[in-house]
Amino acid sequence: MANPPTFADVQTILFTITASQDDIQERIEIYGRHDAQGRYSWETEPELLASIANPYGKGDVQLIPDKPYATMSDEQITQQCPLVSKLSPGTDGSPPAMPPLSPATARRHATADELATIRNWLRTIPYPRGF
């Protein structure tokens, strides 16, 4: 059996789909667009697990709520985890909400395998997290 995914695997996916792996300034701009209070980041695992998005000041959204992902189906994780739901296509086949694509960037949407990696990493997170 293969080893479960790690935070480094998830971080690489996030770097890749946002085309920001080599540019910390680009990531800081992305983080700032998601939350002006500096509570959104995937620089470290604790930062990603604690990330709050509040784009446009419309209300705080915890990116990865403290839930028992190990016992959840793929569909349940996609529905209940904003990180996964925003990166996933809609149930109607509509494109994912994130990341926003632009011809001026190399951003792209996550593949099905990348989404599976993120869900499987979530399943390794202890519940409750205790913070």
Side-chain angles (χ1 to χ4, degrees):
M1 183 174 154
N3 291 328
T6 65
F7 167 71
D9 298 321
V10 172
Q11 185 183 50
T12 297
I13 292 167
L14 296 174
F15 285 160
T16 302
I17 66 175
T18 61
S20 67
Q21 57 268 39
D22 299 320
D23 189 348
I24 183 69
Q25 187 58 43
E26 176 66 19
R27 290 197 302 276
I28 289 169
E29 289 174 19
I30 291 168
Y31 300 157
R33 285 193 297 267
H34 284 81
D35 180 54
Q37 297 177 49
R39 301 171 296 170
Y40 183 95
S41 170
W42 62 76
E43 292 300 311
T44 67
E45 184 172 36
E47 287 177 5
L48 178 59
L49 290 172
S51 278
I52 302 290
N54 186 349
Y56 315 111
K58 292 183 178 180
D60 289 354
V61 175
Q62 187 173 7
L63 202 61
I64 303 174
D66 191 10
K67 295 187 179 257
Y69 296 108
T71 62
M72 298 170 89
S73 70
D74 288 355
E75 183 176 301
Q76 288 171 315
I77 292 173
T78 300
Q79 290 173 352
Q80 296 184 38
C81 179
L83 172 67
V84 179
S85 67
K86 293 293 187 188
L87 296 177
S88 298
T91 55
D92 61 357
S94 59
M98 301 306 271
L101 303 185
S102 164
T105 70
R107 289 185 204 126
R108 64 171 178 80
H109 291 135
T111 66
D113 285 346
E114 289 168 332
L115 292 169
T117 296
I118 295 169
R119 286 190 302 267
N120 287 331
W121 169 71
L122 288 168
R123 289 184 174 110
T124 71
I125 297 170
Y127 173 80
R129 281 185 234 152
F131 64 82

